[in-house]
Amino acid sequence: MEKVMLNNGVEMPLEGFGVFQIPDAVQCEQVVYDAIRTGYRLIDTASAYGNEAAVGKGVARAIADGLAAREELFITTKVWVNDMGNEEDAYQAVKTSLGKLDMDHVDLILLHQPMKDYFAAYRGITKAYREGLTRAIGVANFYPAILTNLCETVEVMPAVDQVELHPFFAQAGALENMKAYGVVPQAWGPLAEGKHGIFTDPELTAIGSKYGKTAAQVALRWNVQRGVSIIPKSVHVERMEQNIDIWDFTLTEEEMAQIAAKDLGHSEIVNHDDPAFIKFVLNLH
Ligand code: NDP
């Protein structure tokens, strides 16, 4: 498992495990425990997922059973839009998340969306960072223009920008922009949330057969090989095992280009340029 050095010197595993859409607390605790037992060392949650307490319990049980030490684990959570109206709300949201996780610090706090007063919210998580409540700070869904505006303005550069990245939405330009600012790209939906027939895609399957790998493993390998951190989610242990078994093969340059050519140039999961989507999110709470 490779690690990547963030722009403040903190090391982050290049692959982690996401827990979006696991609302059941009992299942989520077990899934987190299973993921750590399988070898994942990064767990990605968010206050909006409603499962931080379950994640904390799964992590605590794994540590108690000797599967990993806290220092080996990298825990990410996110501040949701309803706590992004001002600096103090965002700062307090970090403390609330820590309380639910039952941890004295996390490893990464992200602003979940570039919505409401995200500069004030960024100052809130910067304060939490300076107080040691998190080892790094970053953002999610900050597309090139707004990421640029943020990076050109703030005192503490974001370490990570977590955006949708998979073969059908490759975002090469966004990656170039992040690289220019030393921001590590992290893929949400690295398996396209199962869309586009990704698991049976003929090209990904054919490439995988050369290495004894599945289409899913080829899609994940493609992202890490271009320097993108990935956080695939699965509630099934055999898929967790499959998704982390990507570190013993290397795609050729031709295969990397062939996969990049599958890019549709737009998301079919969410459109951040659509005013209706922004209003929908703002009205969730
Ligand atoms: P993914 O691209 O990881 O896809 C998850 C889906 O793929 C699930 O339905 C899962 O099913 C299925 N799956 C996983 N592995 C396999 C496999 N090997 N073969 C077949 N099916 C498989 O989508 P996510 O949206 O979950 O993204 C990953 C993580 O990114 C999230 O969990 C979350 O932590 C984060 N995220 C962040 C967002 C943001 O705005 N910052 C937005 C969305 C996600 P099953 O579980 O049944 O196995």
Side-chain angles (χ1 to χ4, degrees):
M1 163 73 71
E2 285 175 32
K3 289 184 174 177
V4 58
M5 176 89 79
L6 302 179
N7 56 19
N8 65 351
V10 167
E11 283 195 326
M12 179 179 81
L14 206 48
E15 180 166 12
F17 184 80
V19 298
F20 182 37
Q21 290 170 333
I22 315 179
D24 182 82
V26 174
Q27 182 186 33
C28 184
E29 178 186 335
Q30 187 59 39
V31 159
V32 166
Y33 183 89
D34 289 341
I36 295 170
R37 189 174 51 192
T38 302
Y40 293 87
R41 292 293 175 264
L42 186 166
I43 306 292
D44 179 271
T45 184
S47 63
Y49 302 168
N51 58 17
E52 287 171 310
V55 167
K57 283 185 186 159
V59 167
R61 183 148 65 89
I63 293 171
D65 287 355
L67 299 182
R70 174 65 186 91
E71 311 80 69
E72 296 171 77
L73 297 171
F74 192 100
I75 310 298
T76 302
T77 193
K78 312 184 191 88
V79 174
W80 185 242
V81 176
N82 58 330
D83 291 316
M84 290 177 56
N86 59 66
E87 177 177 338
E88 182 61 16
D89 282 0
Y91 172 73
Q92 289 301 335
V94 174
K95 291 197 158 181
T96 301
S97 285
L98 289 175
K100 287 184 179 162
L101 285 159
D102 197 17
M103 292 177 188
D104 61 2
H105 75 281
V106 285
D107 298 280
L108 180 63
I109 291 274
L110 304 177
L111 295 183
H112 207 143
Q113 300 285 350
M115 296 182 197
K116 279 206 177 160
D117 193 344
Y118 52 83
F119 272 100
Y122 195 81
R123 285 194 295 277
I125 62 171
T126 301
K127 183 177 169 195
Y129 170 64
R130 289 191 168 127
E131 290 180 3
L133 303 182
T134 180
R135 294 171 70 226
I137 53 174
V139 293
N141 301 300
F142 275 49
Y143 286 96
I146 46 171
L147 181 69
T148 300
N149 187 33
L150 186 83
C151 289
E152 293 287 344
T153 309
V154 293
E155 287 174 15
V156 178
M157 290 288 266
V160 169
D161 188 3
Q162 185 182 104
V163 299
E164 181 185 348
L165 293 165
H166 49 75
F168 302 95
F169 192 34
Q171 300 213 62
L175 298 196
E176 278 303 309
N177 190 54
M178 288 185 211
K179 202 173 162 190
Y181 288 107
V183 175
V184 173
Q186 186 167 60
W188 67 253
L191 296 168
E193 296 191 345
K195 293 194 185 334
H196 310 284
I198 190 168
F199 300 120
T200 53
D201 180 86
E203 277 181 289
L204 298 177
T205 303
I207 293 170
S209 65
K210 201 176 131 184
Y211 304 101
K213 299 290 178 183
T214 63
Q217 289 170 313
V218 170
L220 295 174
R221 178 72 205 178
W222 171 76
N223 250 335
V224 295
Q225 223 173 287
R226 63 184 192 138
V228 172
S229 168
I230 53 170
I231 46 169
K233 168 260 177 186
S234 177
V235 296
H236 298 97
V237 171
E238 65 279 11
R239 290 179 181 171
M240 291 178 197
E241 289 168 350
Q242 184 190 132
N243 295 345
I244 205 174
D245 183 18
I246 60 162
W247 299 96
D248 60 353
F249 74 112
T250 304
L251 298 166
T252 65
E253 269 182 43
E254 292 77 34
E255 288 162 347
M256 289 294 290
Q258 188 188 345
I259 297 165
K262 299 177 82 63
D263 184 22
L264 300 173
H266 66 271
S267 169
E268 289 188 358
I269 298 176
V270 62
N271 181 0
H272 280 87
D273 289 329
D274 180 3
F277 172 70
I278 309 299
K279 280 193 248 177
F280 166 75
V281 172
L282 290 173
N283 289 324
L284 278 178
H285 292 277

